[in-house]
Structure formats: C-alpha cells, structure tokens
Amino acid sequence: MKKTVKILLLLISSSIVACSVPDEESRLRKALDELVQAVEERSVRQVQKFLADDFRTARHSNSQQLRSFMLLHFRQNKVIKVFTSNIQIVLQKEKADMVFNVLVTGSSNWLPERGRRFEVKSRWIKQDGDWKISRVNWQELTDFH
C-alpha cells in the first residue's frame, strides 16, 4: 500500500512539473499575443523586442524601416486593434514557421474607421532563449469566404 501511494505521488508530482513547463508551441503563441499587445499599445520599443537581429520582410525591409512604418501608423491611429486567427505552427528545433490571419483596425477615435485583413507568414528563431521574428511576409485578404 505504501509503495502504491509513493508511486501515485511520484506520478502526480511529475505530471504537475510537466504541465508547468510550457511547450515551445505555447511559448510561440504567447510571444505572438505579447507582440499583438505591443502593437495595440502602439509601443515601437516593445514591438522591436520581438525582432531578431537579422529581421527582414519579404519587401526587404529591416527593423529600422519597420520602425518608421510603425511610427507613421501609430501617429495616424489613436486606437489600433489586432485580431489573430487560424494560427498554424510548424516547429523545427530552434526555428518555427507560423502562418496566421490577422484583422487590423485603426481609428483616430474609439470606433474603428478602417480595417484590413492579412495572411501573415513568419519565421521565428530562438535567440537567447526567446522566440523572435526573423522573416515575415503578409498578403492582404480581400475575400470574406
């Protein structure tokens, strides 16, 4: 009986430890959520924390050009909302490909004046133990099927 209780306690404690360590997909999803929050807070500095040292877009933009792009849009939009959906992640050791849809709305007041939908394809890499975006490409979605 004592042996059974010890084995049961060992199984329970090991499952608790296993559940408390986030898997890499969960860490990536959390990083995306934090990136979205940084954009909604219009914080260039916070967004840049998610960019890898070799960050590039498909349009050959680097992190400095992205910074200028963000400053322009953050000035034009007092309120920015970002909604993600259809997140797909393929992990490959120290890198991951993430594809998702995003709806971005912006306004100078509290009600959205404009919105656009995109499909985003991104490559994330582990840098100093954190997931960072290395490459990103987006394409506007014009249909609502």
Side-chain angles (χ1 to χ4, degrees):
M1 180 73 168
K2 279 187 172 185
K3 189 173 185 179
T4 304
V5 171
K6 285 182 182 180
I7 291 172
L8 185 59
L9 287 173
L10 180 62
L11 287 173
I12 291 172
S13 64
S14 64
S15 67
I16 290 171
V17 169
C19 291
S20 66
V21 178
D23 64 5
E24 293 305 311
E25 184 171 328
S26 296
R27 290 185 67 213
L28 276 161
R29 288 177 184 274
K30 183 176 186 242
L32 179 61
D33 289 344
E34 291 172 357
L35 175 61
V36 165
Q37 182 178 355
V39 169
E40 290 183 337
E41 291 173 356
R42 300 170 38 232
S43 173
V44 173
R45 184 178 302 167
Q46 288 297 92
V47 170
Q48 288 183 310
K49 288 181 180 181
F50 292 96
L51 305 182
D53 295 337
D54 66 344
F55 174 81
R56 292 279 183 268
T57 72
R59 294 164 179 85
H60 307 293
S61 298
N62 59 26
S63 59
Q64 190 61 34
Q65 291 163 325
L66 180 65
R67 182 180 190 282
S68 297
F69 175 81
M70 286 187 293
L71 286 171
L72 172 71
H73 286 280
F74 290 171
R75 267 185 252 152
Q76 289 176 348
N77 296 284
K78 180 179 179 180
V79 178
I80 296 174
K81 290 291 181 189
V82 180
F83 305 92
T84 59
S85 65
N86 301 331
I87 301 169
Q88 301 167 15
I89 298 172
V90 177
L91 286 164
Q92 306 161 2
K93 296 197 182 212
E94 298 294 305
K95 63 183 176 179
D97 292 322
M98 187 186 308
V99 178
F100 54 95
N101 292 338
V102 65
L103 168 65
V104 181
T105 64
S107 68
S108 57
N109 293 305
W110 293 109
L111 295 176
E113 297 167 353
R114 59 201 153 273
R116 294 170 70 185
R117 291 179 350 126
F118 300 91
E119 178 184 59
V120 179
K121 295 180 180 179
S122 58
R123 163 68 52 93
W124 294 65
I125 60 171
K126 264 198 167 171
Q127 208 169 53
D128 299 326
D130 294 322
W131 285 105
K132 309 259 181 160
I133 301 172
S134 175
R135 303 284 182 269
V136 67
N137 183 25
W138 58 91
Q139 179 177 341
E140 187 165 8
L141 299 173
T142 55
D143 64 332
F144 285 93
H145 295 107

